[in-house]
Structure formats: structure tokens, C-alpha cells
């Protein structure tokens, strides 16, 4: 598979890194010498220092032989022109564009049918708002993903000391919890990611990733944290930019009492005219006095969404110290991810990571319905259709040699949701959900597409 990436920023860099790790043929184009130098020195990919929206540059990069073009620069307009140029030269190449401007929201579907004919439009800001809402609905959750049209949830949550799961072997889950048991996909302990086996024991403080039917999610969360599931009533948003505005509008529709704290007076005036019920406050969200005046201690969630991630981190720490029940922090720098849990901030969102998750599902081989990056970039949860040609079908799971670090966590057959055992058999056209560490994805792709003689 040949993939051309226009844009060597954080999203382009990390997508290129992921694809190069999986031995795909990658070309990265950017006109920023520093960005190109970084990619060239760190990754085993071809780089071109030029404008990726130029037809001549795309032709030289081999667009006619490319299966996918990813336009992920920081400019919506440049991404649109890159797709237009690619479409003129190679209509069969699949084109994906990152477009963030709210003014384009109503035209996403039009782009798929008209010039410049974009197969997939990715708006990471919309995806981030959805992620924040999912985190709000599951108290204590660090990650929440939805699959099968929302009927299945993939959740990462910290195991509390008073949890009935603490000290229980996974092998004993059916006997202890019966049909209400979740399937544990992964455990993070002391910063180490573990794909568990039956003899593993859960410990208090573990970050546990599990699969649950949506209708059982509330009861399952109580197994991890008996004090969870308090209703969401009050939210403070620090930062009234595009993401803050989108989130406030979404919360208004859910009748949740919402306040926005924004430091720019002109932006406050714009927000006050746009919002219906949201209270807009002019001030510094990291001001302790202001937070106390706004009763942050009685707030269910404080979401920090300013353009400065250091401010977001400090404000979240301050809000938590002042008694806020939960915080959600927007972080863009991937290098910060490992540090967040160490300082007590586990609920994070990243527009860049949301963009990467959206892109992954479009470039995976096999009939992939969705793919979500978890634990930064260490792993993925993949939803796929089991093809009749793949080796994953027609045999009990215990007889399949799954790649090390991969686990099938759910089978969806018609309206039935099956938490699999070793005796379970995947049938052609079943929808399946898999958890895979980064190093297992390449082999898992092969397992999902064609029969493999060595399995």
C-alpha cells in the first residue's frame, strides 16, 4: 500500500510513523523545512520539501500509484486544494482531508459527491467533542469508545480499592459475576500494558480496559467503582474557542447547566450572542479566586480547552484541588501523555489523536468499520466485518493463533452481542471487535483479510 501524506505536522508525523512501523510505502510532503527534516531524521519514509497542493509535486510523488492521499496540513484550504489536484491526476486514489473550520460543517457530504471529491472529511474538533461527552457519561472513565452504532462500549477505568473485582482472577469472572461480567481487554499496571490471560489477577489502582454492552454499562462501571454513576448537572468550560463553543452547544441540548470562562473579551461578546443558556464569563480560568466565586467545588466536570496546553494542565490541577469532581484536559503534545496520570490528570482529549483515530479506520486493510487509538498510540481497538476469505472464521477461537498482543473481545451477530470464549466461532459477516497492541496490528490485518498458511 502506497500512501501520500500532505502535511508533516503532529498528525502527519504520527500517522507516517505508525504506517512506516507497519512497512507501508509512505511519502510525506511539506513546505516547512524543519518539519520535513524531523520526518526525514526520525522515520523511514520518503520526504519531499514542497507544497503538497501542487499537481506537479503530487505527480512527482507518485499520486497515480498511491492508494490513499491524506491531506492533514493546518490549512483547510490547502487540504482542499491538495484533494482537488489529486483528483485531477488520479481519480481512483482515495482522498482524506482534515477540515476543521465550522463554516465547512454543512458541506462535508457535498465534498464527497462534488469537486474536489473527498472520500472522507475528518473534523477532529467534532470528534473531540464527542469524546468529551462520552467521558462525561461514564464517571471515572479514562477512555470511552463506542462501536456497533453505540451498542457496545470500550472503556478504560481505574480499579478502586473497594471494587468487588479487586483480587479476582479473570478465570473466575464467570463464576463470580455470571453473565454480567465484562471482558477485560487490557490492563495498565506501573505504566506497562498487559494483554491479560485467565490466571491474571486485577489489583486496586490498575487501569483496566473492558468491553460492555451499553445497556449493562452502568452496572459494569459499579463493579469497578461502587460510588460511580452520579448524574451530570454542572459543567465549567475553560476556553471559549471553537471546541469550547461546540461543546457548550452540545451540553445545552442535553439541558446541562454550563459556564464558559474565556479570557478574550471580544470572543466573550461573540459567545454571548451565540449561546442560548450557557453563562459566558470574562476572566482567567486559572484564577483561583474566579473559580471559587463560580463554585468550582460543586461542579461535576471542569473541561479545559484553551489553546495553551500548559494552561489547561495547570487549570485542571487547580480545579481538582479546589474540589471539582472531575476534570477533562485538552492536550496536543504526545510527549505529555505519559506524564498526565503521574500528576493525577487521567481524563485527556486530543484533537490530533482524534484525527489519527479517524484516519486509521480509513487505511486499514480488510473490511474495517472503525478504529480507535488508545493509550496514546500504544494500541488500537478495531471494529471489522469477518470476511469469508479470512482465517478468523469457522474455527473455535482457541484453535486460532492470534498475534501476540491481540485479542478478540466481542462478536456481534445480527442483534446478538457475544462476549467470546475459547469455544466461540466467528461466522462470515459477523462484526468483530479486536484489541491490538501496536506491534500486532500488521499481522492482525493479514488475519482479517486472507487465509494464512502459517496460522
Amino acid at each position: 500500500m502506497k500512501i501520500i501524506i500532505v502535511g508533516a505536522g503532529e498528525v502527519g508525523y504520527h500517522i507516517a510513523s505508525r504506517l512506516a512501523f507497519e512497512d507501508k510505502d509512505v511519502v510525506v510532503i511539506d513546505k516547512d523545512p524543519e518539519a520535513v527534516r524531523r520526518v526525514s531524521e526520525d522515520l523511514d519514509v520518503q520526504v519531499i520539501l514542497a507544497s503538497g497542493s501542487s499537481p506537479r509535486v503530487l505527480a512527482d510523488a507518485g499520486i497515480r500509484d498511491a492508494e490513499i492521499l491524506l491531506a492533514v496540513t493546518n490549512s483547510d484550504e490547502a487540504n482542499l486544494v491538495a484533494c482537488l489536484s489529486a483528483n485531477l491526476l488520479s481519480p481512483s486514489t482515495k482522498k482524506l482531508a482534515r477540515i476543521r473550520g465550522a463554516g465547512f460543517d454543512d458541506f462535508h457530504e457535498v465534498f464527497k459527491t462534488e469537486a474536489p471529491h473527498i472520500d472522507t472529511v475528518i473534523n477532529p474538533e467534532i470528534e473531540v467533542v464527542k469524546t468529551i461527552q462520552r467521558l462525561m457519561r461514564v464517571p471515572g472513565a479514562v477512555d470511552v469508545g463506542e462501536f456497533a452504532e453505540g451498542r457496545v462500549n470500550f472503556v478504560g477505568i481505574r480499579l478502586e480499592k473497594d471494587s468487588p473485582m479487586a483480587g479476582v482472577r479473570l478465570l473466575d469472572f464467570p463464576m463470580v459475576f455470571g453473565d454480567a461480567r465484562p471482558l477485560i481487554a487490557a490492563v495498565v499496571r506501573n505504566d506497562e500494558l498487559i494483554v491479560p490471560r485467565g490466571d491474571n489477577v486485577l489489583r486496586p489502582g490498575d487501569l483496566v480496559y473492558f468491553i460492555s454492552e451499553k445497556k449493562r454499562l452502568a452496572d459494569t462501571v459499579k463493579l469497578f467503582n461502587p460510588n460511580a454513576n452520579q448524574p451530570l448537572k454542572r459543567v465549567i468550560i475553560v476556553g471559549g474557542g471553537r471546541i469550547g463553543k461546540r461543546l457548550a452547544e452540545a451540553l445545552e441540548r442535553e439541558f446541562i447547566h454550563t459556564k464558559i470562562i474565556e479570557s478574550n473579551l471580544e470572543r466573550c461578546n461573540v459567545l454571548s450572542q451565540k449561546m442560548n443558556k450557557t453563562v459566558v464569563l470574562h476572566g482567567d480560568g486559572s484564577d483561583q479566586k474566579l473559580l471559587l466565586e463560580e463554585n468550582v467545588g460543586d461542579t461535576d466536570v471542569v473541561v479545559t480547552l484553551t489553546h495553551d496546553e500548559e494552561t489547561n494542565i495547570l487549570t485542571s490541577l487547580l480545579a481538582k484541588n479546589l474540589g471539582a469532581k472531575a476534570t477533562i484536559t485538552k492536550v496536543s503534545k504526545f510527549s505529555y501523555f505519559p506524564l498526565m496520570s503521574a500528576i493525577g490528570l487521567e481524563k485527556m482529549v486530543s484533537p490530533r489523536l482524534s484525527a489519527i483515530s479517524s484516519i486509521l479506520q480509513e487505511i486499514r486493510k480488510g473490511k474495517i468499520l472503525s478504529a480507535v487509538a488508545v493509550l496514546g498510540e500504544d494500541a488500537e481497538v478495531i471494529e471489522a466485518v469477518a470476511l469469508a476469505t479470512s482465517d478468523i472464521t469457522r474455527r473455535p477461537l482457541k484453535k486460532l493463533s492470534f498475534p501476540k498482543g491481540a485479542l478478540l473481545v466481542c462478536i456481534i451477530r445480527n442483534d446478538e452481542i457475544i462476549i467470546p470464549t475459547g469455544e466461540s466461532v466467528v461466522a462470515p459477516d459477523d462484526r468483530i471487535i479486536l484489541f491490538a497492541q501496536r506491534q500486532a496490528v500488521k499481522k492482525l490485518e493479514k488475519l482479517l483479510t486472507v487465509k494464512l498458511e502459517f496460522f
Side-chain angles (χ1 to χ4, degrees), residues 129 132-133 136-137 232-237 243-260 268 270-281:
V129 170
I132 293 171
Q133 289 181 281
M136 287 179 172
R137 295 188 192 112
L232 181 67
K233 296 180 180 178
R234 301 181 74 245
V235 174
I236 291 178
I237 301 170
I243 297 176
K245 177 178 176 292
R246 287 182 189 272
L247 177 60
E249 289 171 340
L251 295 177
E252 282 188 348
R253 292 192 290 271
E254 296 183 19
F255 304 103
I256 295 170
H257 186 267
T258 306
K259 296 178 182 178
I260 294 178
C268 284
V270 172
L271 290 170
S272 62
Q273 295 172 15
K274 298 285 186 181
M275 296 291 103
N276 294 321
K277 299 177 183 177
T278 300
V279 177
V280 181
L281 303 168

Side-chain angles (χ1 to χ4, degrees), residues 16-24 438-440 442:
S17 173
R18 179 75 65 93
L19 298 176
F21 183 82
E22 297 167 18
D23 296 328
K24 290 184 170 62
R438 183 179 182 182
Q439 64 269 21
K442 182 181 177 181

Side-chain angles (χ1 to χ4, degrees), residues 1-20 24-30 51-53 58 61 63 66-76 78-84 86-87 93-99 118-122 355-364:
M1 177 182 285
K2 181 171 184 175
I3 299 172
I4 295 177
I5 302 174
V6 178
E10 286 293 315
V11 172
Y13 175 90
H14 285 278
I15 284 290
S17 173
R18 179 75 65 93
L19 298 176
K24 290 184 170 62
D25 183 5
V26 180
V27 180
V28 179
I29 307 172
D30 201 297
S51 170
S53 57
L58 289 174
I63 188 64
E67 292 186 40
I68 297 174
L69 172 85
L70 304 177
V72 293
T73 75
N74 290 325
S75 166
D76 292 345
N79 294 337
L80 287 168
V81 174
C83 288
L84 173 61
N87 195 58
T93 298
K94 189 174 185 179
K95 292 163 284 292
L96 289 75
R98 180 173 68 160
I99 298 177
I118 302 170
D119 295 276
T120 301
V121 175
I122 297 163
I356 289 171
S357 293
S358 299
I359 291 167
L360 285 175
Q361 72 185 63
E362 299 295 335
I363 60 181
R364 292 288 176 232

Side-chain angles (χ1 to χ4, degrees), residues 111-128:
F111 289 140
K112 295 179 182 180
T113 56
E114 307 293 339
H117 187 74
I118 302 170
D119 295 276
T120 301
V121 175
I122 297 163
N123 188 325
E125 295 177 359
I126 293 176
E127 297 305 318
V128 160

Side-chain angles (χ1 to χ4, degrees), residues 84-278:
L84 173 61
S85 298
N87 195 58
L88 292 172
L89 295 170
S90 180
S92 62
T93 298
K94 189 174 185 179
K95 292 163 284 292
L96 289 75
R98 180 173 68 160
I99 298 177
R100 297 177 295 176
F104 291 111
D105 285 359
D106 295 335
F107 298 92
H108 288 187
E109 291 302 317
V110 175
F111 289 140
K112 295 179 182 180
T113 56
E114 307 293 339
H117 187 74
I118 302 170
D119 295 276
T120 301
V121 175
I122 297 163
N123 188 325
E125 295 177 359
I126 293 176
E127 297 305 318
V128 160
V129 170
K130 291 178 181 177
T131 301
I132 293 171
Q133 289 181 281
R134 289 196 295 266
L135 287 171
M136 287 179 172
R137 295 188 192 112
V138 187
V142 174
D143 277 323
V144 181
E146 291 185 347
F147 300 95
E149 292 80 43
R151 290 183 292 152
V152 177
N153 289 105
F154 180 81
V155 180
I157 193 168
R158 190 70 65 178
L159 191 69
E160 299 294 329
K161 291 181 179 179
D162 54 352
S163 165
M165 288 185 173
V168 179
R169 283 194 315 165
L170 299 188
L171 199 63
D172 298 328
F173 266 37
M175 180 179 64
V176 177
F177 303 109
D179 291 338
R181 72 189 187 281
L183 191 146
I184 308 301
V187 177
V188 180
R189 181 181 298 156
N190 299 325
D191 295 326
E192 180 186 359
L193 175 63
I194 303 166
V195 178
R197 303 299 177 190
D199 57 351
N200 287 115
V201 176
L202 297 183
R203 300 175 186 172
D206 284 350
L207 176 57
V208 183
Y209 284 83
F210 68 91
I211 284 283
S212 172
E213 288 186 70
K214 185 175 183 178
K215 63 184 180 182
R216 293 180 175 173
L217 182 59
D219 292 335
T220 303
V221 169
K222 286 183 180 179
L223 293 175
F224 289 89
N225 182 355
N227 302 312
N229 298 326
Q230 296 297 318
L232 181 67
K233 296 180 180 178
R234 301 181 74 245
V235 174
I236 291 178
I237 301 170
V238 179
R242 294 187 302 197
I243 297 176
K245 177 178 176 292
R246 287 182 189 272
L247 177 60
E249 289 171 340
L251 295 177
E252 282 188 348
R253 292 192 290 271
E254 296 183 19
F255 304 103
I256 295 170
H257 186 267
T258 306
K259 296 178 182 178
I260 294 178
I261 300 176
E262 168 58 44
S263 60
N264 184 291
L265 182 58
E266 184 177 348
R267 181 62 177 171
C268 284
N269 292 331
V270 172
L271 290 170
S272 62
Q273 295 172 15
K274 298 285 186 181
M275 296 291 103
N276 294 321
K277 299 177 183 177
T278 300

